[in-house]
Amino acid sequence: MSHLIKPILDGTYPKVSYGKGVFLYDEHGKDYLDASSGAVTVSIGHGVQEITDVLENQAKRVSFVYRSQFTSEAAERLAEKIYKLSNGHLSYSFFVNSGTEATETAMKMALQHFQEKGQGSKLKILSRWMSYHGITIGSLSMSGHSIRRTRFVPLLQDYPTVSAPYCYRCPYHMEFPSCQLRCADELERAIIRIGEEHIAAFIAEPIIGAAGAAITPPPGYYERIRDICDRYNILFIADEVMTGLGRTGKMFGYDHWEAKPDIVTLGKGLGAGYTPIAAAVATEEVMLPIKKGSKLVMSGHTFSANPLSCATALSVLQYVEKYNLVDESAQKGAYLKKELLKLKERFSIIGDVRGEGLLLGVEFVEDKKTKEPFPTSAQLTNQIIQTAMQNGLLLYPSAAGIEGVRGDAIIISPPFTIKEGEIKELLCRFEKTLSSIEMRLKNNQEERE
Ligand code: PLP
């Protein structure tokens, strides 16, 4: 009997033995090509000794200090590194332990920014349907992720109001550019309805992750969003927990557009799985009223800015720079996407391939022409994930489809360090998975007829 609560209580999960590069090995020696970097996290691959050496050395010096009592070289240098990576845009980092905590802290920073300026009625954070910002009540309130919200709806604030820039299933049944970015203008309409005096910020993932399988907005979208936020005195929070630090082929997801956010959240790739760490990072302008006012951001956790995690994350960022891994993500992502688009031509169930860098999404449909998804009862995403795992391939499940409620999709997001031969192996295992899924669907249909 296991005393551990697993995702599915009575589910069977292989026991991991070790990881090296893009592969994980279970206790029986079976290899799994980690095409999802776990939960889009292990951006530099598994078992990198340069990082584990730093971890060990820092642990020997000091692992933990309480941030109310000490600062540390590691935490100071990590905040400075993020400042430099953003070319001086993101001045102040608040370190936390998960992406969820990062988005909640970002939310509180935005509210506090206005409180300190005497605009305390600005308490709402607007967000999009088809988004994921975290699992606690505050961050889930901001998340337009149906399955994760449903059980808790009465406890949540009603934040997700704006449609996603989901061109494959345009909420207006239009096409870019003739749509003139109506989905972005929806933010303005929401602000007018609610009243700008009640709204502190708009939060969005630059490229939508778990709630949309790499939905990427059309050109000009974020420039329009930035303009609307400026006109209505609303801060723009870019939730870069998944997209940040090279995942999309640029250092930050927002670098794909000419629209700089006021607050950015980081997670996943910050510690790359070597340590739990995340951050809410703000510009000088956001922090100024707080610096002049109360001088404290009313947030924090016991483990915030602990030296062990900060030293580890710093070594991850140095590793990304040293080996040019952001460029690698862009180049390998372009190649992988091209190959996935070829698979789309061959497999009738692939409706769309999208994303940037090594954050790629594949959406599945029953009918390519009408874009009709499979019935929910078919549990297609689950079937694909399970079959891939049997074939030694790890994929990340995602919501997508009609209103993000009915549909099937996966994310493919291997470590940036993946080699060309390993991409070929990934594609080979994916193709094998799709072939057996298509065969199974065909057999099921024949049985029904
Ligand atoms: N924000 C985004 C964009 C995410 O993708 C996630 C997790 O998938 C979160 C926030 C929550 O992060 P965590 O699972 O580390 O709490």
Side-chain angles (χ1 to χ4, degrees):
M1 174 190 164
S2 167
H3 300 279
L4 179 67
I5 297 180
K6 303 185 181 67
I8 304 293
L9 281 180
D10 58 358
T12 322
Y13 299 86
K15 195 177 273 179
V16 71
S17 173
Y18 68 98
K20 194 74 202 155
V22 298
F23 286 97
L24 286 164
Y25 299 85
D26 71 15
E27 58 182 339
H28 306 296
K30 176 176 159 108
D31 66 70
Y32 301 82
L33 199 160
D34 190 358
S36 63
S37 299
V40 198
T41 299
V42 188
S43 50
I44 63 169
H46 297 276
V48 176
Q49 200 183 331
E50 276 174 68
I51 311 299
T52 53
D53 284 349
V54 170
L55 236 165
E56 189 184 343
N57 288 338
Q58 182 65 48
K60 281 181 186 157
R61 275 179 67 192
V62 60
S63 296
F64 179 78
V65 287
Y66 185 35
R67 69 186 269 277
S68 300
Q69 296 166 339
F70 285 97
T71 183
S72 67
E73 183 70 16
E76 297 288 349
R77 287 185 59 201
L78 181 59
E80 187 189 3
K81 187 80 193 163
I82 293 170
Y83 171 69
K84 286 189 174 154
L85 290 177
S86 73
N87 296 320
H89 181 61
L90 302 170
S91 301
Y92 293 99
S93 284
F94 195 122
F95 295 116
V96 292
N97 316 291
S98 67
T100 295
E101 291 169 10
T103 58
E104 284 229 15
T105 303
M107 172 176 112
K108 288 176 179 154
M109 277 175 164
L111 263 55
Q112 211 182 313
H113 165 85
F114 288 111
Q115 284 168 359
E116 308 263 3
K117 291 205 293 194
Q119 297 171 16
S121 69
K122 286 168 89 68
L123 288 167
K124 275 188 196 294
I125 312 287
L126 297 190
S127 61
R128 298 185 297 211
W129 191 246
M130 296 188 78
S131 62
Y132 182 58
H133 302 294
I135 207 73
T136 54
I137 297 299
S139 58
L140 196 57
S141 284
M142 299 188 283
S143 303
H145 192 303
S146 179
I147 300 172
R148 296 181 186 171
R149 285 176 71 89
T150 308
R151 288 166 187 269
F152 309 107
V153 165
L155 300 175
L156 303 179
Q157 298 283 324
D158 200 14
Y159 287 138
T161 46
V162 178
S163 300
Y166 191 6
C167 291
Y168 180 64
R169 295 179 189 276
C170 172
Y172 295 97
H173 306 285
M174 298 183 86
E175 274 185 22
F176 180 80
S178 59
C179 64
Q180 298 184 351
L181 296 171
R182 282 187 189 204
C183 55
D185 288 340
E186 226 183 283
L187 174 62
E188 181 165 19
R189 296 212 305 280
I191 295 169
I192 293 169
R193 281 201 301 267
I194 296 165
E196 65 177 88
E197 68 279 17
H198 297 299
I199 305 165
F202 173 64
I203 185 168
E205 299 156 79
I207 292 178
I208 301 172
I215 290 175
T216 310
Y221 175 86
Y222 279 111
E223 288 81 353
R224 183 80 57 91
I225 293 287
R226 181 69 266 182
D227 174 56
I228 295 167
C229 289
D230 287 344
R231 280 192 284 119
Y232 291 93
N233 186 28
I234 284 165
L235 298 179
F236 170 34
I237 304 172
D239 181 355
E240 299 254 10
V241 166
M242 191 177 280
T243 50
L245 306 169
R247 176 50 68 189
T248 69
K250 303 233 184 231
M251 185 52 76
F252 298 94
Y254 70 75
D255 288 335
H256 287 280
W257 297 274
E258 298 294 324
K260 284 196 188 318
D262 303 294
I263 304 177
V264 166
T265 55
L266 300 171
K268 296 182 184 282
L270 182 57
Y274 287 83
T275 187
I277 187 166
V281 197
T283 61
E284 177 70 33
E285 291 71 28
V286 169
M287 288 300 290
L288 202 61
I290 305 173
K291 277 166 71 179
K292 284 189 184 157
S294 69
K295 299 189 192 304
L296 69 99
V297 171
M298 187 42 75
S299 190
H301 303 269
T302 298
F303 300 119
S304 282
N306 74 78
L308 187 57
S309 288
C310 290
T312 308
L314 180 63
S315 70
V316 167
L317 297 186
Q318 285 166 340
Y319 191 88
V320 167
E321 268 194 317
K322 183 172 165 191
Y323 296 100
N324 261 333
L325 294 186
V326 180
D327 288 346
E328 294 283 300
S329 166
Q331 282 159 25
K332 286 162 183 167
Y335 170 66
L336 182 54
K337 188 172 176 183
K338 198 174 79 194
E339 295 300 310
L340 290 173
L341 282 165
K342 285 187 199 159
L343 291 185
K344 181 183 156 201
E345 297 311 311
R346 288 188 32 220
F347 288 93
S348 67
I349 60 172
I350 299 184
D352 195 27
V353 171
R354 53 190 176 237
E356 292 291 335
L358 283 171
L359 183 61
L360 298 171
V362 181
E363 180 169 339
F364 301 98
V365 286
E366 189 163 33
D367 186 322
K368 255 189 197 182
K369 276 209 183 81
T370 63
K371 301 181 184 174
E372 181 62 24
F374 284 89
T376 312
S377 58
Q379 293 219 357
L380 190 77
T381 303
N382 197 26
Q383 277 196 53
I384 291 171
I385 298 287
Q386 295 305 329
T387 310
M389 197 144 179
Q390 283 158 17
N391 291 333
L393 180 68
L394 303 177
L395 303 170
Y396 190 73
S398 173
I402 294 166
E403 296 301 330
V405 173
R406 194 163 67 83
D408 294 281
I410 51 135
I411 288 176
I412 301 186
S413 53
F416 314 159
T417 46
I418 190 167
K419 300 187 186 86
E420 202 181 314
E422 292 167 338
I423 297 183
K424 292 203 169 108
E425 183 60 26
L426 183 165
L427 287 160
C428 178
R429 294 184 188 192
F430 189 45
E431 206 179 315
K432 187 173 164 199
T433 302
L434 294 177
S435 297
S436 55
I437 292 284
E438 278 206 344
M439 180 72 79
R440 207 177 305 158
L441 288 167
K442 202 165 145 237
N443 290 344
N444 288 350
Q445 197 180 352
E446 277 170 9
E447 267 171 34
R448 278 201 304 272
E449 282 166 5

